[in-house]
Amino acid sequence: MTLSLVGKVALVTGASRGVGRGIARGLGEAGATVYVGGRTVVEGTAASRLPGTVQTTAEEVTALGGRGVAAPLDVGDDEQLRALIARIDREHGRLDILVNSAWGGYERFTDGSEFNPGPFWEQPLALWDSMHRIGVRSHYVASALAAPLMIRSGPGLIVCLSSFAGQVRVPPVAYAVAHDAIDRLAKDMAEDLRPHRVASVSLYPGLVLTESVVANLQYFADQPNRETPLFVGRAVAALAADPDLFRLTGRWLVAAEVAAAYGVTDEAGELPDSNRAWITGDPVPPF
């Protein structure tokens, strides 16, 4: 299918780096105007010690054919989210796509702190707060604040980034519970949004070669099925460009399965496999 999101306006949170950056780039590649939300505005200042800024991602979106707008944003601050939605309303009067990609808790892999893979009672209590405040809660708040504008623009798409941890046990406990909650959030929001033709889905990437994963690649040597961040972005763009998208509302979707259904490939032209059968033992359902 030909992907064109020219004239569409998107907001991607957590887009300084990682999957969020890839999604912003994928939407830009399809011609969308993308507000790039993220905390890092000065290179080298991220708590994770990883590279990337909202300005850099916005420039990449523009270079790929869209229009990138750097939008410094701490999703843990409701008023910053409210102000950004109001800015998008002032500047465009519409919001077609919201991607909730912000996530917390991964900093421990790269910030120099000691990593403990033990049971939940050995994990820092702050891990729960990071994953549930910057993950689940920010997805809810961003969606709640954006919904009136998206309903007015309509139809639209809300994507909440999740993972197979919403379906099977993936330690630590805080991680799996957060993803289960994100899936339920996307499903239940879909019912409230159904009369307004705004679709809501959760999306499962595979093993994505983010800056954090690349920095810890030795831990993933037994997982050869990998995706780039841009691949996930192309899957999101394909969903957003589908005029029959609403049939999928309320579902959890696998990025590799979305890509296969729409004929989307990764950067080198390959199509990563879905991890569904390997992780859950279930066959891929009809798309």
Side-chain angles (χ1 to χ4, degrees), residues 12-287:
V12 183
T13 67
S16 300
R17 63 189 62 81
V19 176
R21 171 175 166 258
I23 292 173
R25 294 176 69 224
L27 294 171
E29 192 177 57
T33 293
V34 184
Y35 283 76
V36 177
R39 289 183 297 175
T40 309
V41 296
V42 178
E43 191 67 71
T45 63
S48 63
R49 301 185 182 180
L50 293 170
T53 67
V54 290
Q55 293 91 342
T56 301
T57 301
E59 290 167 2
E60 292 172 342
V61 168
T62 300
L64 286 166
R67 176 174 175 254
V69 182
L73 173 69
D74 180 351
V75 295
D77 185 329
D78 297 355
E79 293 311 308
Q80 288 190 34
L81 274 166
R82 193 186 309 276
L84 179 53
I85 298 297
R87 174 188 173 188
I88 295 171
D89 192 4
R90 286 194 311 272
E91 295 178 354
H92 294 277
R94 66 183 304 116
L95 179 61
D96 304 284
I97 305 156
L98 169 64
V99 181
N100 292 308
S101 183
W103 182 251
Y106 278 3
E107 297 86 356
R108 64 185 182 146
F109 292 112
T110 55
D111 66 4
S113 61
E114 183 178 353
F115 174 63
N116 178 4
F120 74 89
W121 58 88
E122 294 181 1
Q123 302 298 321
L125 297 179
L127 185 65
W128 177 279
D129 295 334
S130 295
M131 292 183 172
H132 287 253
R133 187 175 70 88
I134 303 303
V136 184
R137 187 179 188 279
S138 75
H139 286 29
Y140 174 77
V141 174
S143 300
L145 295 175
L149 178 56
M150 298 187 73
I151 289 168
R152 177 155 38 97
S153 310
L157 169 64
I158 297 176
V159 177
C160 293
L161 265 290
S162 186
S163 83
F164 276 106
Q167 306 298 320
V168 298
R169 182 180 184 274
V170 178
V173 168
Y175 179 85
V177 174
H179 285 90
D180 198 10
I182 288 170
D183 286 351
R184 184 58 183 261
L185 173 66
K187 180 180 178 181
D188 286 4
M189 288 195 306
E191 294 311 307
D192 281 355
L193 292 166
R194 190 176 295 277
H196 306 287
R197 304 295 295 176
V198 175
S200 170
V201 301
S202 55
L203 184 69
Y204 295 5
L207 175 61
V208 183
L209 294 172
T210 62
E211 298 86 349
S212 179
V213 169
V214 170
N216 293 276
L217 206 54
Q218 68 272 23
Y219 299 113
F220 304 100
D222 62 340
Q223 299 182 44
N225 187 41
R226 302 169 182 180
E227 305 167 1
T228 69
L230 180 59
F231 174 71
V232 185
R234 287 173 173 173
V236 173
L239 285 171
D242 183 356
D244 194 29
L245 165 68
F246 205 69
R247 75 192 189 281
L248 301 174
T249 195
R251 290 176 54 178
W252 59 268
L253 305 173
V254 180
E257 295 170 11
V258 171
Y262 291 111
V264 170
T265 59
D266 210 335
E267 294 185 42
E270 73 276 13
L271 176 62
D273 295 326
S274 169
N275 289 330
R276 183 191 296 264
W278 174 58
I279 293 175
T280 70
D282 299 326
V284 175
F287 193 80

